[in-house]
Amino acid sequence: MKKISLSIIAILLLVSSCGKKEQQAQGPSSFAVQKIVAEDATTYEEFTANIEGQQNVEIRPKVNGFIQNIYIEEGQLIKKGQALFKLETQMLNQDASASKAMVQAAQVEVDRLKPLVERNIISQVQLETAKANLAQAKSTYGSIMANIGYGTIHSPVNGVIGSLPFREGSLVNPNTDMPLTTVSDTKIIRAYFTMNEKQLLSFNKIFKGATAADKLKSTPDVTLILVDDSEYDQKGKITTMSGLMNPTTGTTEFRADFKNPQGLLKSGSSGIIRLPILQSNVIILPQKAVFEIQGKKIVYVVGKGNKVKSRIIETNGTSGLNFIVTSGLSIDDVVVVEGASKLKDDEEIIPKVAANQDTLKKAATLSAKQ
């Protein structure tokens, strides 16, 4: 048994020795590398936005009354001037009849007094008093008729009908907390978002202009990201920014406008505004070239004799699938862009130019003796 065990050990040692010799015979492994160059890159700032129609008009009654008819449905597209509600105005009709009778009586009194004044039987003062009573009666009658007209409620704008919290038979008045409905004009959608003080300072530095209007003119078109993470097919433009910082929230409000020809966007919904920012002559590096250890971003840089050294870098956002590097790398550094996590310091590699990098057109031919 001892002889057999010794034989097995000898065989294992022999295999291990052969494996080491074979590994040494293989030599350095090949790794894709990329030469660092300065490029223009686009980054994106994102802001949560509340979406509203170009006009959101609350429809409220001007008179007291029971809702007699509702002529529209929720979500219906309506035109300016279209009838929306009819309030019951029976009591007002009765008041109008009584008021009209008073107008007629006042008119009769004026007609009766005119010839008497002409013959100097009575004074002009009595006739003027009668005329004043007639004017007052006509004013009262006109006010009642106007209120009867208010019983039919029309839309002041084109738009889409919102919710209908009241039903036929409900008693409403001008002081009711909830509106009868809201008409939203959504041909143009307004996305409201805010920037904090730091973001606003960065915005003012990036986009030049003596006034807020000048800065807004220099901003590029923005994108709206919908709640399903899809990109809205219409580009928008930032059109307004508040001139004051809200002391309570520490933010400034902006507004971006988007066309809404298909009615896809609804007032009251939300999304994300994506603002592109062009950065010139910055160092970008594929994200797959970077690996993290204890929160530090690390890359391997190829040095003399094609030996690699780890280096900690700092980044400031992303551009596509690349990091924008702010420190740790310099122009003309050569970085391992694939399989870096398998390496260790001072390991020798065979560098090969990455064939699928966006920056390949700017990469120089690498020297094996670098």
Side-chain angles (χ1 to χ4, degrees):
M1 290 292 294
K2 288 184 179 180
K3 289 183 179 180
I4 295 174
S5 298
L6 291 174
S7 299
I8 293 173
I9 293 172
I11 292 171
L12 291 175
L13 290 174
L14 180 61
V15 171
S16 177
S17 176
C18 292
K20 289 181 179 180
K21 289 180 179 179
E22 184 179 354
Q23 186 175 5
Q24 291 173 358
Q26 288 179 351
S29 299
S30 178
F31 286 86
V33 299
Q34 178 177 311
K35 189 174 183 179
I36 298 299
V37 294
E39 300 185 43
D40 293 341
T42 300
T43 60
Y44 297 91
E45 293 287 341
E46 295 186 345
F47 309 93
T48 301
N50 296 318
I51 297 173
E52 295 183 9
Q54 185 176 9
Q55 286 182 296
N56 287 329
V57 181
E58 291 185 346
I59 306 299
R60 295 182 178 274
K62 291 184 177 181
V63 294
N64 300 339
F66 292 95
I67 297 177
Q68 189 173 6
N69 296 105
I70 300 176
Y71 301 120
I72 37 84
E73 297 289 343
E74 294 178 347
Q76 180 179 341
L77 184 65
I78 53 106
K79 298 291 186 180
K80 181 179 180 179
Q82 183 173 334
L84 306 179
F85 301 91
K86 177 72 170 70
L87 303 184
E88 185 275 321
T89 58
Q90 184 176 353
M91 292 296 296
L92 288 174
N93 290 336
Q94 294 174 358
D95 292 342
S97 297
S99 180
K100 186 176 182 180
M102 294 181 66
V103 170
Q104 292 171 344
Q107 185 66 58
V108 168
E109 181 67 8
V110 169
D111 294 342
R112 185 184 71 82
L113 294 178
K114 279 183 178 180
L116 298 178
V117 171
E118 291 172 356
R119 289 181 288 173
N120 294 322
I121 296 175
I122 62 174
S123 68
Q124 182 70 27
V125 174
Q126 288 179 282
L127 178 59
E128 294 301 323
T129 301
K131 288 181 176 180
N133 292 336
L134 175 60
Q136 183 176 2
K138 287 182 176 180
S139 176
T140 301
Y141 177 69
S143 178
I144 294 173
M145 291 305 295
N147 285 338
I148 291 175
Y150 294 148
T152 302
I153 302 172
H154 300 84
S155 175
V157 295
N158 298 329
V160 178
I161 295 295
S163 62
L164 297 171
F166 298 98
R167 295 293 180 261
E168 292 181 0
S170 300
L171 177 63
V172 295
N173 61 72
N175 298 318
T176 303
D177 291 338
M178 297 179 64
L180 298 180
T181 191
T182 299
V183 178
S184 180
D185 183 353
T186 58
K187 288 183 178 179
I188 298 294
I189 282 292
R190 293 174 170 176
Y192 293 90
F193 62 99
T194 59
M195 292 187 188
N196 59 36
E197 192 171 357
K198 183 178 179 180
Q199 291 168 330
L200 180 61
L201 181 61
S202 176
F203 179 89
N204 287 330
K205 287 181 177 179
I206 292 172
F207 300 108
K208 306 302 181 182
T211 65
D214 292 337
K215 291 182 182 296
L216 293 178
K217 287 180 181 178
S218 66
T219 59
D221 291 344
V222 295
T223 302
L224 178 63
I225 306 301
L226 305 178
V227 292
D228 62 353
D229 293 329
S230 65
E231 185 176 305
Y232 183 52
D233 61 1
Q234 299 281 335
K235 294 293 184 181
K237 183 69 177 177
I238 300 178
T239 54
T240 64
M241 61 180 289
S242 174
L244 298 175
M245 182 75 68
N246 186 318
T248 302
T249 62
T251 59
T252 293
E253 187 173 68
F254 287 72
R255 191 189 85 207
D257 292 350
F258 294 83
K259 293 181 180 179
N260 190 29
Q262 305 301 322
L264 178 64
L265 303 179
K266 304 297 182 183
S267 185
S269 56
S270 61
I272 295 175
I273 294 294
R274 180 175 288 169
L275 171 64
I277 298 175
L278 178 64
Q279 298 189 37
S280 301
N281 295 320
V282 293
I283 292 175
I284 66 171
L285 184 68
Q287 295 183 34
K288 63 182 181 180
V290 181
F291 62 99
E292 290 193 14
I293 296 179
Q294 296 181 348
K296 301 292 185 181
K297 291 183 173 66
I298 298 175
V299 298
Y300 273 105
V301 178
V302 182
K304 292 182 178 181
N306 291 331
K307 292 184 177 181
V308 296
K309 286 284 187 181
S310 61
R311 194 178 295 179
I312 297 174
I313 65 170
E314 293 183 1
T315 62
N316 180 26
T318 60
S319 176
L321 298 177
N322 301 311
F323 281 121
I324 295 179
V325 181
T326 55
S327 68
L329 291 177
S330 302
I331 303 300
D332 293 335
D333 280 342
V334 177
V335 178
V336 177
V337 293
E338 292 182 11
S341 60
K342 301 176 183 179
L343 295 172
K344 59 183 179 180
D345 280 343
D346 296 324
E347 183 175 345
E348 185 179 349
I349 66 169
I350 299 174
K352 65 175 182 179
V353 176
N356 59 344
Q357 301 300 319
D358 295 337
T359 57
L360 179 58
K361 59 183 180 180
K362 295 185 178 181
T365 301
L366 300 176
S367 171
K369 297 182 178 180
Q370 185 177 8

